[in-house]
Amino acid sequence: MIHTDLCIIGAGPVGLFAVFEAGLLKMRCHLIDALPQVGGQLSEIYPQKPIYDIPGYPEVNAQDLVDNLMEQAKPFSPTFTLGERVDHLDKQEDGSFIVTTSDKTKVHAQVIVIAGGLGCFEPRKPVVENLELFEGKGITYMVKNPETFRDKNVILAGGGDSALDWTIFLSKVAKRVTLVHRNETFRGAPDSAAKVFDLANNGKIDLILSSNLKEVSGNGTLESVTFVDKSKAEIKIETDYLIPLFGLSPKLGPIADWGLSIDKNAIEVDTRDYSTGVDRIYAIGDINTYPGKLKLILCGFHEAAIMMHSAFKYVYPDQKLSFKYTTVNGVNSF
């Protein structure tokens, strides 16, 4: 059991900044994210994208922003559970929570902060019969530890940046890498595509184009994958692993079943402190909604600062912060 003051669900930019704001108030944080690295969409989807609306930065690279947020949070020693999805939330008699992840990691926290951006990212899965039978038994949708594939036969399927980048990387690790793509050309970066073609031309990998996944088979664990090409001919390849990389689909996931008020896949909050309708659960960043909501990173930063002052009372019930809510002309403010 991991014990902490706040469990932050989502390790994107808003979740990372929340660690800093919590640290200023002497509150400890543990972050959980379904992705294998911190940064959320910034790191997973567009790490090289320039961002122009962060105060103090006329322009900042997305990954650089994530790295800076990690550096800012570092003095407060946050801990992380990555590559695992939050599946269950159980309220305790004292009002605290126990969070259980998809890998059965348990976290005990006084406060839950949902900072999941657009929700958890779930892999887009190919439509293949019995696929789920081999999930975790040879089929995986992300590379959490490249050493898992050392000296193994690996098939990757996909045509985007992730498929190209992991093909290039794993060609130095795995016994044999095969990349299968349904088209003749790739969607990913031209430079990466050129490197993949060079690897194939030099016999370092096998490249199968204009082919689609048809069947997976094995006895308890994955043993082979069958593809069908544009001429309807079948190609069967023996393998230890299949990694379909068809992108990620953002979904609210199990959070939708926690008794929160949901509006169009977003969590409704009280703008005085970004609390939800459930005591000790807050929602900040793109995952929340309220009148006038703007889905901007800087708005999530603002929300994190406000909500931490409210969460303080649950972590330190015998202490008081020097702030209060006021209402002026019907408008709530700190």
Side-chain angles (χ1 to χ4, degrees):
M1 180 80 72
I2 298 169
H3 294 273
T4 188
D5 296 325
L6 284 76
C7 180
I8 301 176
I9 301 171
V14 173
L16 295 176
F17 185 70
V19 173
F20 172 75
E21 289 294 331
L24 294 178
L25 300 177
K26 305 297 183 183
M27 296 189 293
R28 299 168 300 144
C29 296
H30 184 82
L31 296 89
I32 303 175
D33 202 297
L35 295 175
Q37 74 283 318
V38 302
Q41 295 180 67
L42 297 190
S43 295
E44 182 66 19
I45 301 176
Y46 42 74
Q48 301 306 316
K49 182 179 183 295
I51 301 174
Y52 302 103
D53 57 359
I54 303 300
Y57 290 92
E59 177 182 330
V60 61
N61 175 283
Q63 188 59 52
D64 288 344
L65 176 61
V66 171
D67 293 343
N68 288 340
L69 288 166
M70 282 291 287
E71 186 67 24
Q72 190 176 30
K74 186 176 180 180
F76 303 111
S77 303
T79 52
F80 297 86
T81 296
L82 301 174
E84 300 180 27
R85 186 184 74 177
V86 171
D87 275 353
H88 300 287
L89 183 67
D90 299 305
K91 194 160 190 175
Q92 307 302 294
E93 290 185 2
D94 64 356
S96 64
F97 294 92
I98 291 179
V99 175
T100 305
T101 73
S102 53
D103 286 1
K104 308 306 178 185
T105 300
K106 291 184 180 293
V107 180
H108 178 259
Q110 297 298 320
V111 173
I112 303 297
V113 182
I114 304 172
L118 297 175
C120 64
F121 288 91
E122 296 185 355
R124 292 191 177 97
K125 301 180 181 181
V127 182
V128 178
E129 189 175 354
N130 296 326
L131 190 75
E132 68 280 358
L133 295 180
F134 298 101
E135 291 178 342
K137 300 175 182 179
I139 294 179
T140 182
Y141 301 99
M142 60 178 65
V143 179
K144 294 171 66 173
N145 180 7
E147 284 300 311
T148 301
F149 308 100
R150 183 166 292 281
D151 300 325
K152 302 294 184 180
N153 293 313
V154 180
I155 297 175
L156 297 101
D161 285 313
S162 291
L164 295 172
D165 292 344
W166 281 121
T167 296
I168 295 167
F169 187 91
L170 292 177
S171 69
K172 308 168 190 173
V173 175
K175 179 180 179 181
R176 193 65 182 174
V177 171
T178 301
L179 175 61
V180 180
H181 182 39
R182 64 183 180 181
N183 295 322
E184 292 285 341
T185 58
F186 293 100
R187 302 186 311 276
D191 181 67
S192 298
K195 290 178 180 177
V196 165
F197 281 117
D198 285 343
L199 287 170
N201 291 334
N202 291 322
K204 300 294 181 65
I205 67 167
D206 294 319
L207 181 60
I208 302 174
L209 301 176
S210 299
S211 299
N212 290 293
L213 280 169
K214 180 185 178 184
E215 185 179 275
V216 293
S217 59
N219 185 15
T221 59
L222 182 69
E223 295 177 357
S224 65
V225 178
T226 301
F227 300 89
V228 63
D229 64 19
K230 60 183 178 182
S231 66
K232 306 300 181 183
E234 293 189 0
I235 306 166
K236 187 174 183 178
I237 304 174
E238 293 185 357
T239 189
D240 299 301
Y241 289 96
L242 168 65
I243 311 175
L245 296 171
F246 298 142
L248 298 169
S249 176
K251 295 182 179 179
L252 207 53
I255 292 173
D257 301 322
W258 292 356
L260 306 172
S261 179
I262 307 295
D263 179 30
K264 297 178 181 177
N265 231 29
I267 302 170
E268 293 182 325
V269 293
D270 183 338
T271 53
R272 292 179 298 177
D273 59 2
Y274 302 99
S275 58
T276 67
V278 178
D279 285 346
R280 301 192 185 212
I281 300 182
Y282 298 83
I284 56 177
D286 286 356
I287 203 164
N288 75 16
T289 186
Y290 51 84
K293 169 72 177 183
L294 293 177
K295 291 184 180 293
L296 299 175
I297 294 173
L298 65 92
C299 292
F301 290 168
H302 157 81
E303 294 163 9
I306 298 295
M307 64 92 7
M308 285 302 168
H309 285 73
S310 175
F312 182 88
K313 62 179 177 285
Y314 298 118
V315 178
Y316 298 106
D318 298 326
Q319 298 184 33
K320 298 290 183 180
L321 283 173
S322 57
F323 72 94
K324 64 179 181 179
Y325 292 122
T326 59
T327 302
V328 179
N329 297 326
V331 178
N332 296 316
S333 61
F334 256 129

